[in-house]
Amino acid sequence: RWVFVGARLTNNDLSLGKSSFQGQNPSWRFRSTSATERALQYQAGQKIHGFTVKEVVAVPDLFLTAVKLTHDNTGAQYLHAARDDKNNLFSVQLRTTPMDNTGVPHILEHTVLCGSEKYPCRDPFFKMLNRSLSTFMNAFTASDFTMYPFSTQNGKDFQNLLSVYLDAVFFPCLRELDFWQEGWRLENENPTDPTSPLVFKGVVFNEMKGAFSDNERVYAQHLQNKLYPDHTYGVVSGGEPLAIPDLSWKQLKHFHATHYHPSNARFFTYGDLPLEQHLKQIQEEALSKFERTEPDTAVPNQPHWDRPVRLPIQYHCSSFISDAVVVSFRCPSLCSITDTFEGFTLSLLSSLMISGPNSPFYKTLIEPKIGTDFSSVVGYDGSTKEASFSIGLQGMAEEDTEKVKQIIVQTIDEIIANGFEEERIEALLHKIEIQMKHQSTSFGLSLASYIASCWNHDGDPVQLLKISDSVAQFRKALKDNPRFLQEKVLHYFKDNTHRLTLSMSPDEAYLEKQVKAEQEKLQKKVQALSESDKKDIYEKGKLYANTYRRIARQRHEKDACICLMVLSPSDICVPVQYCEQPTNGMVYFRAMCSLNTLPEDLKLYVPLFCSVITKMGCGGLDYRQQAQQMELKTGGMSISTSVNPDYSNMDMYEQGVLLSSSCLERNLPDMFHLWSDIFNSPHFDDEERLRVLVMMSAQELANGISYSGHMYAMTRAARSLTPIGELQETFGGMEQVKFMKRIAEMPDLTQVLRTLPRIKRHILNPLNMRCAVNATPQKMSDATGQLDNFMSNVASNKKDRKPVRSDITEEPNFKPCQMKTFFPMPFPINFVSECIRTVPFTHEDYASLNILSRMMTAKYLHGEIREKGGAYGGGARVGGGLFTFYSYRDPNSLQTLSTFRKSVDWVRSGQFTQQDIDEAKLSVFSAVDSPVAPSNKGMGRFLSGITDELKQAHRERLFAVTDKSLVDVAGRYLGIGQRTCGVAILGPENDTIKKDPSWVVK
Ligand SMILES: [Zn+2]
């Protein structure tokens, strides 16, 4: 957890990931027409299109000018961040503070996107998603606000999207049909059979059922609910599955009328487009139609407890990790998140207390191995009005609960007595500098989510942006009072009685109880129905079955750039790709190391090797000192597995590990020094250290299954189809999960410890390497020299030089085969995948398959699997020579497999239009041409070898795709019996599959 992720959105739809700050090419200073400079000319008091300018502030840290305004008539608040970035963003956020568990803000978020006054067609939002050049479109429900952001690089597109968004938020249709569709409804299990039993359906209902099968999520939800029980934080804003059916359509409309009002809204715009145009459009299309109200949405402070509270909760057992108890200890900091500096100090303090092996809590809780890892919610959390801090363990024995509490109290006492080392504080401030300089392509979105929580409670968002001010104030506070941090710890963690101890333990019957509770709820609803109600339900159900819509929201980022491929002048002749980019003073170094010489029996260990090799200590540094050096000198150093398909032959691929690292230009020698030590003298002697790392990895893998189950299903389905599929299963599939579980349970790890140096000899060897450097043009020659230096350092003691190198592995004898695998899981939803062997990237049919996958997703699969089937998501994709179908959090299993089949029939019968093809093309093109951060320019080419010429040829083939070629490839590749396919399902016990001998049940 990074200190600047102030706004941790408990979003229900998409993970924003970590917010990060990008600097900008400083050349803007020399252009008088820059957006940043133009914005500086606004004056406080100036009136523009119904708004009044309140404040204009230059924020040089982030290369932007902030303009704060208020709307005169309604009191709506507005912040514009002018910055010379083409990727403009708009966001409107409403303070939504529900007082029950029906999920009303979440269902509303879904329903407003189903049509509005000006755009009454079903789903204007998702139609725009197909037609626009947007780089981001979505909506989020947090626990106390709902946010609608989009971004695009095109000015005309911005106006169109703004129009759709304003109309959706302020003038939605909120039709009854949309409510039942998105929220919940009763419907015949089989909508075409009036005698089949009635069941609950609805997008949000199923989405939340899926979310509540994720133990980490449930735990986080409970922590918040129980720590602030007296107001809106005491309820589940996303909706508790069994409370959702208590919501009525009328209540939904009422919630909209009271919360989605300009007087309760905050508008944010970002980028290089002119502010006046935005204000004019927002005023004309929305705000001018409202009068001021007094929205009663403010969140009062939680009454302070005078003694700590403890509570036990239960969860379903996971079959992949031994039964585990989680304990957290949490106290609200009393500090309001609108106090910017206090929040800054506490988030810094939180990092000092828990991040990395040098932190006090890591030493006292993780290293003694009482549990497997910190609990999933740990550290400072500024997403509620009053911030909180949590510390806890997962994967521990129930009887250790008291012991853990004792240790936590003792650790806090020790911190109060001893404070922190100065060097660790410096390392953290260094990290902030890196974070500000690192560029991302979605800066506007990061900014919007960064300020959201604080602004939501009337904090000053501009103050929050002035990071240097906070750093300076922090340094001064520490200088004036060396015990500054210790006193904070005393105040917030020792003398604070508003503390919660929450323990979570497994319950064998948890799932059963949940099913029973749902049955009872259903019974109650059904008993209240008359015969005519039932008939009505059947008629409506048929109607839904004939309506489908929505497309997958996924966008893949690919890059297109011109890079220079040259050989390093050093005698070792390691290929190096240099890419000159405006990286704002950062250097990015990456290297791919081949696994070709690694013996087969060591392959399963490679992911484990990657996760520990940079964390065990190296050279003269023990693992603590190593972690400290990395924090002080680099923006991160890591190694991960990397398997890349050949673009023209499906039985060829490159297998390797990818080294990734970055640092400020001035620290490049230090970073290469660290890499040299990792190559030449890694420490492989500390079994205790290894055990800690192994347990954390195994826990992380086990936790991941319930939210990335579709990835595991897809990986498994591909296993028997290509050599690369087989390798991916080994590195990142269910096979790897089981392997890590086995290792974590071994009483003695010496054998594993002995394996690591064997792997190292094969992998960390310059003879097997190629490198990529992204840096500014000014720094490139210096970087070249240092890379050379590094190469000779790590090569000097290699006596067995093999002259032959081969990057590509070929397995001409690989025989693809059919395989159906089922993994029984302790959660009530399925992840289903079917995968078909097709053609590689350069094959003439690849473009048609690519367009086909988008069109099938948008026009058929999403509707069938999500709208009708009730799954959270589903679709098709191509890559690695495979055409893959998948579903996500799906109540169905075998039925979804037949939906995949039916989608092929749908294409072959030609029931789509030219418009459908054009939309699929637009969506593929916008992914191909989406922006790439300077740090990642050229990486696509570095990893896959796909040149700009190959890409251009692919673009031309995409352009040439016709309805005929789509029908044709669907028949030739996807028709039954045409090609080899694999199937995998992760889900609850399934009797039909168990009885069917064609399935392998794990
Ligand atoms: Zn949702």
Side-chain angles (χ1 to χ4, degrees):
R1 175 179 298 244
W2 167 234
V3 293
F4 274 136
V5 190
R8 189 178 60 85
L9 296 185
T10 339
N11 72 63
N12 290 304
D13 281 326
L14 188 88
S15 165
L16 266 178
K18 289 182 180 172
S19 316
S20 62
F21 287 94
Q22 87 188 116
Q24 177 87 357
N25 181 356
S27 65
W28 64 268
R29 283 176 232 241
F30 310 110
R31 275 186 286 137
S32 57
T33 53
S34 86
T36 325
E37 288 197 352
R38 263 184 283 128
L40 278 174
Q41 280 150 30
Y42 292 113
Q43 306 276 336
Q46 195 178 341
K47 303 258 180 205
I48 318 169
H49 299 300
F51 288 85
T52 302
V53 176
K54 294 285 167 191
E55 202 185 347
V56 181
V57 188
V59 185
D61 287 347
L62 303 175
F63 300 95
L64 60 81
T65 302
V67 184
K68 223 159 67 172
L69 309 99
T70 307
H71 186 251
D72 301 335
N73 262 350
T74 63
Q77 296 179 55
Y78 197 109
L79 179 66
H80 178 64
R83 194 160 180 275
D84 291 288
D85 183 348
K86 271 201 186 34
N87 199 11
N88 285 270
L89 174 120
F90 165 86
S91 145
V92 56
Q93 80 181 68
L94 297 315
R95 187 155 64 199
T96 46
T97 47
M99 295 302 288
D100 61 43
N101 287 320
T102 58
V104 57
H106 183 193
I107 294 170
L108 185 58
E109 173 227 304
H110 279 242
T111 318
V112 300
L113 303 177
C114 291
S116 59
E117 276 178 20
K118 243 198 279 176
Y119 305 94
C121 55
R122 287 193 77 83
D123 268 337
F125 184 83
F126 291 93
K127 291 212 169 70
M128 279 312 281
L129 199 53
N130 285 338
R131 284 170 201 172
S132 120
L133 294 163
S134 71
T135 47
F136 184 85
M137 281 178 75
N138 216 327
F140 305 99
T141 311
S143 45
D144 52 13
F145 65 86
T146 308
M147 185 185 210
Y148 295 85
F150 71 78
S151 61
T152 175
Q153 304 186 85
N154 178 296
K156 184 70 200 147
D157 201 32
F158 190 98
Q159 287 177 12
N160 290 338
L161 286 168
L162 181 54
S163 184
V164 170
Y165 266 61
L166 290 172
D167 213 49
V169 168
F170 295 107
F171 314 103
C173 298
L174 300 183
R175 286 166 289 224
E176 189 175 8
L177 192 79
D178 301 330
F179 168 62
W180 300 122
Q181 165 86 49
E182 297 296 324
W184 72 278
R185 66 182 183 273
L186 284 168
E187 193 175 284
N188 293 94
E189 193 165 17
N190 174 358
T192 54
D193 175 9
T195 60
S196 62
L198 291 173
V199 292
F200 286 127
K201 290 189 182 174
V203 174
V204 171
F205 178 77
N206 276 304
E207 181 189 338
M208 293 315 291
K209 242 171 98 173
F212 270 72
S213 69
D214 176 350
N215 284 329
E216 292 190 319
R217 164 92 189 244
V218 170
Y219 191 70
Q221 183 71 56
H222 275 290
L223 263 180
Q224 178 173 315
N225 292 160
K226 308 261 148 71
L227 189 66
Y228 308 101
D230 296 353
H231 197 260
T232 191
Y233 300 128
V235 305
V236 183
S237 67
E240 201 178 345
L242 290 187
I244 289 173
D246 293 332
L247 184 69
S248 70
W249 178 43
K250 207 174 138 210
Q251 285 167 325
L252 181 90
K253 286 189 292 184
H254 180 254
F255 194 86
H256 179 268
T258 48
H259 290 76
Y260 281 37
H261 188 281
S263 302
N264 193 40
R266 286 159 185 83
F267 294 85
F268 175 66
T269 47
Y270 162 86
D272 65 355
L273 292 174
L275 171 62
E276 286 90 343
Q277 175 59 38
H278 300 335
L279 296 176
K280 181 164 187 279
Q281 194 177 350
I282 292 169
Q283 162 75 347
E284 282 172 4
E285 295 184 15
L287 300 192
S288 59
K289 296 164 190 170
F290 288 90
E291 286 306 321
R292 186 189 290 261
T293 62
E294 289 304 326
D296 182 20
T297 55
V299 182
N301 286 341
Q302 166 69 38
H304 200 66
W305 300 340
D306 51 16
R307 70 175 69 171
V309 169
R310 64 178 299 182
L311 285 166
I313 55 169
Q314 298 202 301
Y315 71 110
H316 68 75
C317 319
S318 153
S319 57
F320 282 90
I321 199 83
S322 38
D323 289 350
V325 173
V326 189
V327 169
S328 265
F329 173 90
R330 193 179 226 213
C331 38
S333 61
L334 289 179
C335 121
S336 164
I337 56 166
T338 56
D339 182 343
T340 313
F341 179 64
E342 199 70 359
F344 176 86
T345 306
L346 283 169
S347 62
L348 242 147
L349 190 57
S350 162
S351 294
L352 287 170
M353 287 163 74
I354 55 170
S355 320
N358 292 301
S359 63
F361 276 113
Y362 193 98
K363 289 181 190 167
T364 57
L365 283 178
I366 299 294
E367 289 188 343
K369 294 184 289 294
I370 309 164
T372 49
D373 196 352
F374 283 131
S375 49
S376 51
V377 181
V378 69
Y380 177 79
D381 180 354
S383 67
T384 43
K385 190 185 174 203
E386 292 165 282
S388 66
F389 174 86
S390 316
I391 182 76
L393 272 183
Q394 57 180 320
M396 53 176 276
E398 198 152 11
E399 59 267 25
D400 286 337
T401 310
E402 272 313 307
K403 188 164 127 198
V404 169
K405 276 184 73 178
Q406 276 307 317
I407 295 176
I408 291 172
V409 172
Q410 276 163 20
T411 310
I412 287 171
D413 285 341
E414 277 160 31
I415 296 173
I416 294 168
N418 306 324
F420 302 97
E421 292 158 54
E422 206 169 299
E423 202 177 40
R424 292 201 57 232
I425 299 173
E426 272 314 310
L428 205 55
L429 294 173
H430 166 258
K431 211 167 164 182
I432 292 169
E433 189 183 351
I434 292 248
Q435 204 77 17
M436 279 193 284
K437 294 204 167 178
H438 180 73
Q439 309 208 25
S440 79
T441 52
S442 54
F443 185 76
L445 184 62
S446 307
L447 214 55
S449 48
Y450 173 60
I451 59 174
S453 274
C454 174
W455 198 18
N456 191 45
H457 300 291
D458 300 320
D460 182 1
V462 175
Q463 196 55 43
L464 208 57
L465 299 179
K466 296 189 199 157
I467 296 158
S468 289
D469 286 9
S470 293
V471 173
Q473 197 180 344
F474 177 77
R475 285 191 191 278
K476 184 172 183 305
L478 207 57
K479 202 169 153 244
D480 293 348
N481 174 10
R483 288 188 54 82
F484 173 65
L485 286 173
Q486 283 141 282
E487 281 166 15
K488 293 284 176 212
V489 176
L490 181 70
H491 174 65
Y492 288 120
F493 301 105
K494 180 88 181 162
D495 296 342
N496 187 342
T497 49
H498 196 104
R499 273 202 307 257
L500 171 70
T501 307
L502 188 67
S503 63
M504 180 157 91
S505 51
D507 175 6
E508 294 276 342
Y510 183 84
L511 212 56
E512 228 170 277
K513 285 182 202 159
Q514 272 200 323
V515 171
K516 210 169 145 238
E518 188 181 326
Q519 277 310 320
E520 279 165 10
K521 184 99 193 173
L522 186 65
Q523 281 309 317
K524 249 201 225 145
K525 290 267 177 199
V526 172
Q527 271 161 14
L529 297 174
S530 67
E531 275 314 305
S532 82
D533 288 339
K534 286 186 186 162
K535 205 164 155 257
D536 205 36
I537 285 172
Y538 168 67
E539 292 300 330
K540 271 189 196 155
K542 273 203 308 195
L543 191 65
Y544 288 121
N546 293 326
T547 322
Y548 62 78
R549 54 229 179 85
R550 293 210 171 190
I551 75 149
R553 302 170 179 195
Q554 230 161 352
R555 306 232 146 180
H556 291 283
E557 195 178 288
K558 294 202 182 125
D559 53 356
C561 91
I562 300 154
C563 279
L564 198 65
M565 185 66 113
V566 292
L567 290 182
S568 150
S570 107
D571 60 343
I572 310 150
C573 211
V574 172
V576 182
Q577 170 182 300
Y578 293 104
C579 193
E580 292 183 349
Q581 290 292 327
T583 58
N584 210 27
M586 295 284 291
V587 180
Y588 298 85
F589 167 70
R590 273 155 298 206
M592 178 82 176
C593 306
S594 170
L595 289 178
N596 278 358
T597 62
L598 189 73
E600 227 21 65
D601 64 308
L602 295 182
K603 290 247 167 98
L604 261 173
Y605 288 90
V606 172
L608 171 65
F609 174 84
C610 291
S611 71
V612 306
I613 181 70
T614 55
K615 302 190 184 88
M616 300 276 292
C618 63
L621 306 171
D622 66 21
Y623 69 90
R624 288 187 209 286
Q625 293 160 331
Q626 183 189 22
Q628 185 91 311
Q629 276 303 305
M630 283 187 187
E631 284 201 348
L632 270 173
K633 302 295 185 185
T634 80
M637 296 170 67
S638 63
I639 304 190
S640 57
T641 57
S642 178
V643 183
N644 305 307
D646 184 80
Y647 50 76
S648 62
N649 179 338
M650 304 205 337
D651 294 323
M652 277 166 54
Y653 59 91
E654 186 189 31
Q655 47 174 345
V657 301
L658 181 68
L659 278 56
S660 311
S661 56
S662 64
C663 65
L664 296 169
E665 284 171 351
R666 62 169 190 263
N667 293 328
L668 192 57
D670 299 292
M671 187 168 85
F672 275 129
H673 189 88
L674 280 164
W675 275 125
S676 298
D677 280 350
I678 290 170
F679 271 59
N680 290 332
S681 48
H683 297 185
F684 291 128
D685 47 8
D686 188 344
E687 192 190 338
E688 291 303 290
R689 175 65 181 158
L690 181 65
R691 180 166 300 281
V692 169
L693 295 172
V694 162
M695 287 196 323
M696 290 173 93
S697 295
Q699 182 77 53
E700 205 176 296
L701 279 176
N703 289 346
I705 294 175
S706 67
Y707 58 83
S708 337
H710 61 311
M711 301 304 296
Y712 285 102
M714 286 193 274
T715 306
R716 184 59 171 213
R719 182 197 191 180
S720 58
L721 301 181
T722 58
I724 192 172
E726 195 173 2
L727 192 60
Q728 270 159 342
E729 170 71 12
T730 305
F731 282 169
M734 292 301 282
E735 195 183 335
Q736 179 64 220
V737 176
K738 288 202 163 152
F739 171 74
M740 280 303 293
K741 179 178 189 259
R742 214 179 72 223
I743 300 272
E745 285 165 1
M746 281 183 186
D748 178 9
L749 290 176
T750 42
Q751 176 261 329
V752 179
L753 215 47
R754 274 200 293 269
T755 311
L756 298 177
R758 284 178 62 205
I759 299 174
K760 195 227 102 175
R761 271 197 297 281
H762 288 281
I763 299 182
L764 300 186
N765 177 348
L767 292 171
N768 287 338
M769 267 170 82
R770 60 201 164 79
C771 307
V773 176
N774 286 23
T776 53
Q778 300 85 329
K779 192 65 188 176
M780 202 49 100
S781 75
D782 186 23
T784 310
Q786 299 202 30
L787 177 57
D788 252 16
N789 215 344
F790 163 66
M791 283 302 163
S792 27
N793 272 342
V794 295
S796 57
N797 45 11
K798 298 281 174 294
K799 39 188 185 298
D800 52 342
R801 278 202 188 181
K802 286 183 200 135
V804 188
R805 48 178 301 140
S806 132
D807 297 334
I808 299 290
T809 305
E810 186 172 7
E811 294 184 29
N813 298 323
F814 182 88
K815 288 266 173 300
C817 68
Q818 205 102 347
M819 189 121 165
K820 290 154 79 177
T821 318
F822 178 74
F823 292 91
M825 287 288 152
F827 40 67
I829 33 123
N830 296 279
F831 298 96
V832 183
S833 176
E834 175 167 8
C835 197
I836 300 161
R837 186 177 152 108
T838 57
V839 294
F841 181 76
T842 52
H843 190 281
E844 55 179 0
D845 288 338
Y846 180 83
S848 299
L849 287 164
N850 194 354
I851 303 282
L852 190 59
S853 69
R854 292 290 176 120
M855 189 178 79
M856 285 164 89
T857 301
K859 300 296 166 182
Y860 189 91
L861 291 166
H862 203 78
E864 292 293 319
I865 296 173
R866 178 166 160 131
E867 309 308 330
K868 284 199 218 165
Y872 186 43
R877 57 164 76 165
V878 290
L882 303 170
F883 191 97
T884 308
F885 295 101
Y886 65 93
S887 76
Y888 186 71
R889 290 187 176 164
D890 189 348
N892 304 305
S893 53
L894 295 171
Q895 191 193 323
T896 298
L897 283 177
S898 68
T899 304
F900 294 159
R901 286 285 135 219
K902 283 184 202 145
S903 70
V904 179
D905 299 338
W906 172 78
V907 179
R908 295 180 69 182
S909 67
Q911 291 170 41
F912 51 87
T913 62
Q914 186 57 41
Q915 168 105 14
D916 294 342
I917 303 174
D918 292 345
E919 287 179 7
K921 279 190 186 176
L922 187 58
S923 133
V924 171
F925 275 119
S926 106
V928 167
D929 297 326
S930 67
V932 178
S935 56
N936 284 329
K937 276 266 159 71
M939 283 315 287
R941 173 179 171 156
F942 178 69
L943 292 174
S944 65
I946 295 175
T947 60
D948 289 341
E949 291 73 43
L950 284 173
K951 254 189 202 164
Q952 188 50 36
H954 177 56
R955 271 199 199 91
E956 278 158 23
R957 280 194 299 270
L958 283 172
F959 195 71
V961 169
T962 63
D963 54 345
K964 249 188 92 222
S965 59
L966 291 176
V967 173
D968 176 50
V969 295
R972 254 183 315 123
Y973 295 102
L974 310 181
I976 292 178
Q978 293 294 328
R979 298 275 158 156
T980 320
C981 57
V983 175
I985 298 179
L986 275 65
E989 293 290 343
N990 189 318
D991 286 337
T992 321
I993 290 179
K994 235 191 236 164
K995 285 184 202 131
D996 181 346
S998 70
W999 282 88
V1000 179
V1001 178
K1002 283 286 163 176

